[in-house]
Every structure is written in structure tokens, then in C-alpha cells.
Amino acid sequence: MSTDDAAWLEPLAAAASRDLVEMSRPAVRVDESLSCVEVEDVFVLEPALTSIVVDGEDGLIGLITRTHLVDVLSGRLGFGRVLNQRRSIGSVADWGPLVLAADTDLTTAATRILTHAGERWQDVVVRAGDELRVAPSAAVMQALAGAFMNRASHDDLTGLPNRARFLERLEEMCREAGQHPDRAVAVLFVDLDDFKQINDGLGHEAGDDALRDAAQALSGEARPGEMVARLGGDEFAAILDRPFSEAERSVVEGTAQAAEGFRLALSDRAGLRASVGAAVGRRGVADAESLLREADLAMYAAKNVGGGRVVVSDPARGHLTLTEAGRLHRDPDQEIREAIERAIAEDQLTLHYQPIVSLDDFAFGSVEALLRWNHPARGLLSPAQFLADAGRLGVADEVDLWVIDRALADFARWRSSGVEGVPPWLNVNLSRHVLERADLHERVMDSLHRHGVPSRSLRLELVEDTDPELLTRAAPQLNALRDDGVLLTWDDMGAGSSSLKQVTQIDVDGLKIDRAFIAEIETNPSAHAVVRMLILLANAMELQVTAEGVETPEQLRTIAGLGATYAQGFLLARPTPAEDLLDVVREWHATGRARARGQGEEPTGDLAGV
């Protein structure tokens, strides 16, 4: 390929969405009756030309490349020009070139190039209506590579940078701040309030539209040099690059005002209500993950005081809430801690249970305990609305131990009920905080013995991206539990950033695939590939596999076909209070099991209402 052609291809690496027409040029065409020497003259007049289309009889299309014509006119012993100069170009042309329609997508075009039987890497003929064009195969492959690179660092739905790209940029800015003590790094964590109501009430299409509107509003508020990213779900983040004052208090106040601008942009331009958490780092700031986590905790603090506002995490003064008057005041952390401790002591906490279905016989294989808080003033709260504060304030481990004990009490009652179809296992989540306890093994075994539940009936779920150092410290406790028969499972596999080494740091019995991959398994080939890879990995390690978030019959059939062991999701059964679970078990054993088997094996049946 010539230097001119290489220069023409240079921008194609970023042309992920361009079609074949945009990466091609009009074809130079000659009649098949022209001699080889006459066609050589055409190549001489256009040095950047790599191939010429040859027109044959009855609309037949051929192709002659510059390199092939040079070979013909050179010949094996150097007599090619004497022998072939008057020979017709039609006699040496390739009459089976790759011809693609102009609307062929990049992936299909690349596949056709790789599997085409003709000369490897020659130009592709593009048919655009009545016009013929040519595109170098390298251009198609470069454009496809650009598409993959863009997809690896950007969110498909909104086009914003994704979490990985965001953290990469944040780490760069943290390093720069470490070299310049007077420079501050400010991070915003933005979560849309009541987004679930949009999805549930108006449908997922409306939810997607809302996320796109949010992305546009946040991007419009950002200044040059700042980054807005979508971290996942309805969570966004931004890195600020503002000329803040050097004074610590002014930096925090400036960050709060900037965060308020982003919150108002969502409200004014997209009609969306949001909670915004902010964190500021300077003078050798913490790592990017820690800074983002501080902003995340501040965002949850904003939700816990009613949402629709800004909270800034300040190392010197804790969490500061921006009032309507534009002033910052300290959040009453002690009141929050006491409220959570009171919730444990006064049984304000409650558990709902979601069945997990075996894909072998479609019976209930287990139930997962899901925490709720019956708040006396705010009603039923999900874990996302209070667990972050529980962890930050040092009471999350007590919450975990309460959940284990209460879940085992409920499980023991179901086992003794005599109801047919009661699941043989119970799944309970362990947070990072309870893993720090030196008496974890003792407390779990005490609850098992007190409620008379066999240890092998309990499955403890570990968060996939648990810190490796924390896992090392917790390994003796977890290994002791496993030695006594308790089963361990990795939760939300694929959602975090852990390596396979980290996942295999301790012995486990199963893994659960994050619902984000199951949601896209029918529409996103990458998600399908990840699910397939995780199931193959689990099978190789002899682990049980649970697919979370199964919401459609198609998803159920796909994960069953890929070899998953269990399925969990709204299609099969929704979370239910402990007192109603036996009714769900009876109904499932009577009718739901057969309907689920139909959905998992054949494209018939209806699970609505199960």
C-alpha cells in the first residue's frame, strides 16, 4: 500500500460507525478487452491506486490489483512483459472478487474478508446503487478495530465514557495532583432518584430515553477538559477541572456549587431528579477508587436525607449537605448510626426471600435472603438506601449477623412445616465489613446450631470485587466455615474489576453471574460471550452457576442451553416476605414448576403471575 493510501486510511481507526461507502472511493473501471500494458498505464497515472475494476460481459465484475499486474508483467524469469503485454486484462483479472452491499455492517464485512477464497487482503468492491466503489480490506479491519476500542471504553447506550475509562482518567489526575500540592481533584457521583419508577411504570424504552437525556444534560454542564461518564445503571460520574481557590474550605464550597449546577442541569434540561455526592482530594490524594467511593458514600448520604440534593465529603468535616440557601452544614452521622442500631434492636429490619430455581428439574433449589428496613418515618427502604451509611458508620457487620440469624430462623421454620417443595438451601450475602470480624466463624456456627439447620444448607455469598487484602485476612474464617460444611458462592460475577486470580483466592462452591450480562444476553454478543465464558469456567472448576436477573423466557432458554445450574429473577419468582414464602412454594410445586420447564425447554407457555 502506498504512503498516500496509508495517509487516507489514518482517520479510519476512529470511524467505528461509518459505513462502507464512507471508507471507500469511486472505482476506476476498464473494459476486459484492454491489454495489460494499457492498464499498467492507468496505474502509472494514479500512483495511489491499488486496484481497478474490470468490466466483463453481461455485467460480470472483475478486479485487477497493482501487485498482481506487476507479477504478470514480470514473469517468473523476467520475460513476462514480452509474453503478456498484449494479453487482455480480462485473462488475468480475478473474476471472483468480494462484492459487498453498501449497507453491510463492519463485523459482517470483516468476516467475509477473512473467509473469502480469493486473493487475501485485496480491495473490496462496494456496490452503492448503480455505482461501484472500492475499499481496502485494511480499512474495514481498522474501522472494526476502532469500533471495538471505542466499545471497550464507552457506554453503548449513552456514548459516554464507561467506568474503566473514567477511573483511568481519574487516576491520571490523581497522579498529577500528587505532583502539584495546590491542585485539587473533585469527583461527582450522580444517581437518578426514582429511576426504578420510570422503568417499572413506563417501560425500559422510557428508561433508556431518560438515561440518554441525563447524559446529554450532564455533558452540557461539563466544561472543556472535564469528563462525564456512565458508571452503570442510573449512576453517572464527573471529574471537575475548575479554578478553585487554594483555601480548603473554598475548594469544598466551590465543588458543592459545581455539583449543584450538574443537579440543576438534570432537573431543568431533562426533568430528572438526582442525588449528587462529591469528594475532593488534594495534597497527595488517595487513589482514584477511594475518591470515587467517597463520592459514592456522599451520594447515598444525599439520598438518606431525602434525595434531590448535594452532599460533599470533606475529610476535615465529614459529610456536608448543601442547603437551599447555598450553605453547607454537617450531616448528623450519629443520628443515622443510632437509627440503624435501633432498627436492629427493635426488629425494624425485615427479610424478603427470592427463590432460586434449579434448571435440572425446575424445583426451588434455594432462596436468597434480601434485606429491607421498615423505617418508622420513610417506609420500606431497600439496602441501597442505608447499607452504605451502615458500612461508613461501622455497624454494617452487625446488620449482616442479624440477617444470618433471622434467615436461619425463618429457614428452620419452613423446613419443619412439612410443606412439599421447600428449597434445601438458603443463600445469605456477606458484606466486606463482616469479613473483618474475628468471630465470624463462631457467630455463624452458633446461629446454625441454635436453629438446628445443617451447615450444608447455608450458602454464603461473597462480593466478587472484595479487596484481595481483605480476602487474605478473612481466609481463615471462610476456610473454617467451609470445613464445617457451609457453602461459599461468588456473587455478581463480571460486575466488578477483580482478576481471575482474586476470584480463585479462596475455595468456593458456586458463582452467580451478574444480572447486567443476563439482561443483554439476547441482544449483545459480548454479553452472551461473557456468560458463556463464565459458565465454561465454572464447569471446569466444578462450581454451581446461578444466572441472576432472568426476566424473559428467551433469557431462560439461553442460559439453560449454555449449561447454567440455577436461574433467579422476576420471570420465575419475585422477592416475598417470609410469612408468604410457603404459599409461593405450594403454588410453584403445584403449577409453576411445570410452566417454568416449558419456558426453559420450549418456546411455549406463560409465566405471568408466577
Side-chain angles (χ1 to χ4, degrees):
M1 185 177 294
S2 70
T3 304
D4 289 342
D5 227 11
W8 172 63
L9 289 174
E10 187 174 339
L12 290 172
S17 63
R18 296 181 183 177
D19 59 21
L20 290 178
V21 172
E22 292 182 77
M23 67 181 66
S24 64
R25 55 174 53 177
V28 174
R29 304 172 68 169
V30 299
D31 188 81
E32 64 175 334
S33 62
L34 262 64
S35 68
C36 289
V37 140
E38 289 174 312
V39 175
E40 181 188 35
D41 291 339
V42 178
F43 277 118
V44 170
L45 290 173
E46 296 193 41
L49 202 58
T50 57
S51 63
I52 294 174
V53 170
V54 180
D55 291 323
E57 294 182 358
D58 300 324
L60 190 64
I61 296 174
L63 196 71
I64 184 70
T65 63
R66 179 187 294 272
T67 54
H68 183 52
L69 184 59
V70 168
D71 289 343
V72 169
L73 292 178
S74 297
R76 183 181 301 175
L77 300 175
F79 296 105
R81 180 170 296 276
V82 174
L83 297 174
N84 297 323
Q85 63 179 333
R86 297 187 182 282
R87 191 174 174 183
S88 70
I89 198 65
S91 64
V92 297
D94 174 10
W95 291 102
L98 181 58
V99 181
L100 299 176
D103 59 355
T104 304
D105 63 85
L106 287 177
T107 304
T108 301
T111 302
R112 294 285 303 280
I113 289 170
L114 293 173
T115 58
H116 183 58
E119 184 179 343
R120 183 59 59 91
W121 303 117
Q122 72 178 17
D123 289 353
V124 175
V125 179
V126 180
R127 191 184 295 278
D130 295 333
E131 181 188 19
L132 292 183
R133 303 176 67 88
V134 291
S137 296
V140 179
M141 305 306 289
Q142 282 183 275
L144 183 63
F148 283 137
M149 290 176 63
N150 185 71
R151 187 163 192 174
S153 62
H154 286 72
D155 170 53
D156 288 340
L157 180 66
T158 63
L160 292 177
N162 59 17
R163 184 186 185 93
R165 178 67 188 99
F166 182 85
L167 285 173
E168 181 182 315
R169 177 60 182 144
L170 183 56
E171 286 169 356
E172 292 173 1
M173 296 191 70
C174 285
R175 285 194 297 269
E176 292 172 6
Q179 298 168 2
H180 303 282
D182 291 333
R183 181 173 180 182
V185 179
V187 176
L188 307 184
F189 199 111
V190 182
D191 187 274
L192 304 183
D193 294 335
D194 305 323
F195 179 72
K196 188 176 185 297
Q197 280 74 2
I198 298 176
N199 261 342
D200 293 348
L202 302 176
H204 289 288
E205 288 188 8
D208 289 348
D209 288 341
L211 292 174
R212 294 188 192 95
D213 291 343
Q216 186 174 5
L218 292 171
S219 298
E221 184 65 17
R223 296 181 182 180
E226 298 181 341
M227 175 180 283
V228 174
R230 183 187 177 206
L231 303 185
D234 61 342
E235 295 177 343
F236 297 83
I239 305 173
L240 302 186
D241 186 14
R242 307 285 169 102
F244 296 129
S245 166
E246 293 183 5
E248 291 282 0
R249 185 175 295 271
S250 296
V251 171
V252 172
E253 291 173 349
T255 300
Q257 294 302 327
E260 178 70 354
F262 278 83
R263 189 189 70 80
L264 292 175
L266 282 171
S267 176
D268 297 342
R269 302 175 199 172
L272 297 169
R273 189 171 181 266
S275 297
V276 183
V280 181
R282 58 188 291 125
R283 293 188 173 90
V285 299
D287 62 279
E289 284 277 10
S290 298
L291 197 56
L292 184 60
R293 184 162 53 249
E294 281 298 311
D296 185 12
L297 292 174
M299 181 275 295
Y300 277 113
K303 283 190 175 294
N304 284 335
V305 292
R309 65 190 67 193
V310 168
V311 170
V312 183
S313 177
D314 179 21
R317 293 179 286 169
H319 282 167
L320 306 174
T321 301
L322 186 69
T323 66
E324 292 183 3
R327 292 189 294 270
L328 289 167
H329 70 84
R330 188 175 184 276
D331 290 333
D333 282 349
Q334 185 59 34
E335 292 183 12
I336 297 175
R337 181 188 293 108
E338 290 175 356
I340 295 174
E341 291 173 343
R342 191 162 53 249
I344 297 173
E346 298 177 1
D347 272 346
Q348 294 175 12
L349 299 181
T350 185
L351 296 179
H352 287 197
Y353 295 88
Q354 185 172 31
I356 300 172
V357 175
S358 167
L359 295 177
D360 181 34
D361 57 4
F362 287 90
F364 282 168
S366 184
V367 286
E368 181 179 356
L370 303 171
L371 180 63
R372 304 289 187 268
W373 180 3
N374 277 317
H375 194 284
R378 299 171 57 197
L380 194 66
L381 302 181
S382 70
Q385 294 174 283
F386 63 92
L387 278 188
D389 272 333
R392 180 173 59 83
L393 299 173
V395 291
D397 56 332
E398 290 297 334
V399 173
D400 277 6
L401 293 173
W402 180 93
V403 171
I404 292 171
D405 193 71
R406 176 56 58 86
L408 287 172
D410 290 336
F411 189 72
R413 187 174 68 256
W414 301 329
R415 291 180 73 240
S416 63
S417 68
V419 173
E420 191 173 5
V422 169
W425 288 291
L426 168 70
N427 283 45
V428 180
N429 295 281
L430 291 185
S431 75
R432 301 173 181 86
H433 309 284
V434 78
L435 294 179
E436 295 277 14
R437 293 189 64 115
D439 63 346
L440 174 60
H441 169 258
E442 177 185 350
R443 294 290 295 270
V444 172
M445 296 308 298
D446 176 69
S447 289
L448 284 165
H449 294 150
R450 193 153 29 84
H451 297 296
V453 176
S455 57
R456 289 199 64 82
S457 293
L458 178 61
R459 290 173 167 171
L460 296 177
E461 297 186 12
L462 306 172
V463 180
E464 180 219 2
D465 60 351
T466 302
D467 179 73
E469 294 183 4
L470 174 55
L471 277 179
T472 299
R473 294 195 300 272
Q477 298 278 340
L478 296 173
N479 290 333
L481 285 168
R482 199 163 184 269
D483 289 343
D484 284 335
V486 176
L487 304 177
L488 300 179
T489 294
W490 283 113
D491 191 19
D492 294 335
M493 278 294 295
S497 57
S498 61
S499 66
L500 289 180
K501 179 183 177 183
Q502 181 171 332
V503 171
T504 57
Q505 191 170 345
I506 62 169
D507 291 330
V508 297
D509 306 277
L511 61 85
K512 300 179 77 175
I513 301 175
D514 184 65
R515 65 184 61 248
F517 293 104
I518 304 303
E520 297 184 1
I521 196 170
E522 294 298 315
T523 58
N524 185 341
S526 297
H528 189 282
V530 169
V531 173
R532 181 173 181 272
M533 179 272 292
L534 289 174
I535 292 175
L536 288 173
L537 173 67
N539 289 339
M541 298 173 67
E542 299 182 347
L543 305 180
Q544 304 290 318
V545 182
T546 301
E548 296 181 292
V550 177
E551 296 186 0
T552 69
E554 291 78 12
Q555 294 169 357
L556 181 62
R557 285 195 292 273
T558 297
I559 58 112
L562 289 175
T565 321
Y566 299 97
Q568 180 180 3
F570 284 0
L571 174 72
L572 301 166
R574 293 176 177 269
T576 186
E579 58 269 26
D580 298 332
L581 185 73
L582 290 180
D583 291 336
V584 174
V585 170
R586 292 187 187 95
E587 180 182 353
W588 184 264
H589 192 72
T591 60
R593 184 176 174 183
R595 285 181 284 161
R597 179 181 287 111
Q599 287 290 349
E601 297 178 353
E602 299 174 4
T604 59
D606 181 12
L607 286 180
V610 171

